[in-house]
Amino acid sequence: MIWSSPPGRGRSTPLPTRHRTDFDDQARQVLRNLVAAFVAAGSGKDLIVKCTCYLRDRGHFAAFNRVYAEFFADRSPLPARTTVVTRLVRDGVLVEIDGVAAVGPAGQ
């Protein structure tokens, strides 16, 4: 079974966090939040197959590549990824991510 996280996995959901203005810190927190959402649904970091990543500023692309590679350093290959630069709705949000992960059958 494949499970998709709700869209808009920003820096503040599902784990509360203080306002982060540093892009690298915010990107790491968003990735941790994404994993937390998958764990709550019975999946996990090792079962993420694809992420769709939304960046507010094109200038953050290289930093995001680095943070993504570091976060998934224990994975080979990295989860597939689409990254787009767009205007994000919430003030202060520099990156949002949604993803798709595999989960086992119910009861496992």
Side-chain angles (χ1 to χ4, degrees):
M1 176 180 185
I2 301 292
W3 187 79
S4 179
S5 72
R9 282 290 136 214
R11 63 181 162 70
S12 61
T13 57
L15 302 175
T17 182
R18 63 181 171 74
H19 181 71
R20 297 173 187 268
T21 56
D22 178 75
F23 178 81
D24 289 16
D25 286 346
Q26 197 174 115
R28 285 185 199 97
Q29 184 64 53
V30 172
L31 286 163
R32 287 190 296 267
N33 293 350
L34 181 70
V35 170
F38 283 132
V39 168
S43 187
K45 179 180 174 182
D46 59 325
L47 296 173
I48 296 173
V49 295
K50 183 184 185 302
C51 293
T52 304
C53 310
Y54 306 91
L55 305 181
R56 179 178 294 269
D57 184 339
R58 174 181 295 224
H60 291 139
F61 189 76
F64 188 70
N65 281 340
R66 181 180 35 74
V67 169
Y68 192 84
E70 289 170 1
F71 187 81
F72 289 109
D74 56 341
R75 295 277 314 270
S76 182
L78 297 175
R81 185 183 100 192
T82 300
T83 304
V84 296
V85 175
T86 188
R87 183 173 165 196
L88 300 175
V89 176
R90 294 179 291 166
D91 289 337
V93 174
L94 304 175
V95 57
E96 289 191 4
I97 302 173
D98 67 73
V100 177
V103 292
Q108 284 191 353

